[in-house]
């Protein structure tokens, strides 16, 4: 049975890593961390063309009553980011099966590299908003990753952490699996994902063609 996809691109800071816990720690409480992160996400999705990630994070902190300097503290602690419990096994299974892996992340180059190193699995493609020149969900970061993959775009799946990835991936015709760990609502007007799960545990079976609930497989 032929596998469904030959490459998988991931959102990094939500789909693969538990960045929420670190934001909450730096903010001083879960409530403050959620307010800070929500403000950052709102501003980032409206930004479009890249400007300093660290500035966006600091401005979001200030907007919710936290010191601007919390952005620098967050960046200094990026090596504390942990993958979700199943992530390393999932990525290793896909890597061992010859599936090309990559990430597309709204981050600076420096911090994105630190975060990606926490995965423990080699990546074929690594695209940050800084390198693409635009923030997701603008299409440029996704398209740059597709251009650098060793497989055609129709053989690639995108795994989102935020539902806002649905808007950007639709513009480059990428099918999307939504890792909706926080049980968020689908934003109004968002294209439907082909799969929604609260864990990545079943992703290898889906990608490798063992999941009969997935997309029809080619002969």
């Amino acid at each position: 049975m032929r596998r469904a996809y030959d490459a998988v691109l991931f959102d990094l800071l939500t789909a693969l890593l538990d960045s929420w816990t670190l934001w909450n720690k730096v903010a001083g409480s879960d409530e403050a961390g959620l307010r800070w992160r929500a403000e950052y996400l709102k501003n980032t999705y409206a930004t479009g063309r890249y400007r300093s990630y660290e500035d966006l994070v600091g401005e979001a902190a200030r907007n919710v009553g936290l010191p601007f300097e919390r952005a620098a503290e967050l960046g200094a602690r990026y090596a504390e980011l942990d993958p979700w419990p199943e992530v390393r096994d999932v990525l290793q299974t896909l890597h061992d099966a010859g599936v090309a892996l990559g990430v597309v992340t709204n981050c600076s180059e420096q911090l994105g590299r630190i975060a990606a190193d926490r995965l423990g699995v080699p990546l074929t493609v690594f695209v940050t908003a800084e390198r693409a020149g635009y923030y997701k969900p603008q299409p440029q970061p996704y398209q740059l990753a597709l251009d650098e993959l060793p497989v055609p775009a129709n053989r690639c799946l995108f795994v989102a952490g935020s539902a806002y990835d649905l808007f950007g991936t639709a513009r480059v015709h990428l099918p999307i699996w939504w890792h909706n760990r926080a049980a968020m609502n689908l934003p109004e007007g968002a294209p439907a994902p082909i799969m929604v799960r609260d864990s990545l545990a079943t992703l290898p079976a889906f990608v490798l063609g063992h999941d009969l609930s997935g997309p029809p497989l080619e002969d």
Side-chain angles (χ1 to χ4, degrees):
M1 184 176 290
R2 184 178 178 184
R3 61 192 179 199
Y5 300 99
D6 297 315
V8 183
L9 297 172
F10 294 86
D11 167 74
L12 177 60
L13 295 174
T14 305
L16 293 177
L17 298 174
D18 175 15
S19 55
W20 295 89
T21 294
L22 181 59
W23 281 66
N24 294 350
K25 287 179 180 178
V26 174
S29 71
D30 290 355
E31 182 181 359
L34 290 173
R35 289 200 312 271
W36 180 21
R37 184 68 172 270
E39 179 71 10
Y40 155 76
L41 291 173
K42 181 188 74 173
N43 293 346
T44 303
Y45 294 143
T47 294
R49 191 176 293 274
Y50 183 83
R51 65 185 184 88
S52 168
Y53 170 80
E54 290 80 358
D55 284 352
L56 285 178
V57 174
E59 290 164 10
R62 188 168 54 204
N63 289 349
V64 298
L66 294 170
F68 184 94
E69 293 73 22
R70 292 291 170 87
E73 181 181 350
L74 181 71
R77 296 178 64 178
Y78 247 50
E80 297 177 28
L81 289 168
D82 283 323
W84 297 111
E86 73 277 14
V87 160
R88 288 194 175 109
D89 286 344
V90 165
L91 294 180
Q92 193 64 56
T93 297
L94 293 172
H95 174 71
D96 291 348
V99 176
L101 304 176
V103 297
V104 184
T105 181
N106 274 348
C107 197
S108 65
E109 277 287 296
Q110 179 183 9
L111 294 182
R113 293 286 179 185
I114 294 170
D117 283 347
R118 300 292 293 154
L119 301 175
V121 175
L123 300 173
T124 301
V125 173
F126 176 77
V127 173
T128 62
E130 181 176 12
R131 186 159 77 88
Y134 288 84
Y135 281 103
K136 300 184 300 177
Q138 295 298 314
Q140 289 86 350
Y142 310 102
Q143 187 61 57
L144 178 57
L146 286 173
D147 291 345
E148 295 181 351
L149 281 174
V151 301
N154 66 350
R155 300 296 301 162
C156 180
L157 177 71
F158 189 89
V159 178
S162 164
Y164 285 92
D165 274 313
L166 291 161
F167 294 101
T169 52
R171 295 176 68 180
V172 297
H173 310 293
L174 264 174
I176 190 166
W177 163 303
W178 183 17
H179 180 201
N180 187 15
R181 206 161 192 114
M184 300 176 185
N185 295 322
L186 191 69
E188 184 176 354
I194 60 173
M195 190 71 69
V196 182
R197 293 288 185 269
D198 61 4
S199 166
L200 293 177
T202 59
L203 180 66
F206 183 82
V207 171
L208 299 177
H210 305 150
D211 182 351
L212 298 181
S213 68
L217 302 184
E218 302 174 14
D219 295 328

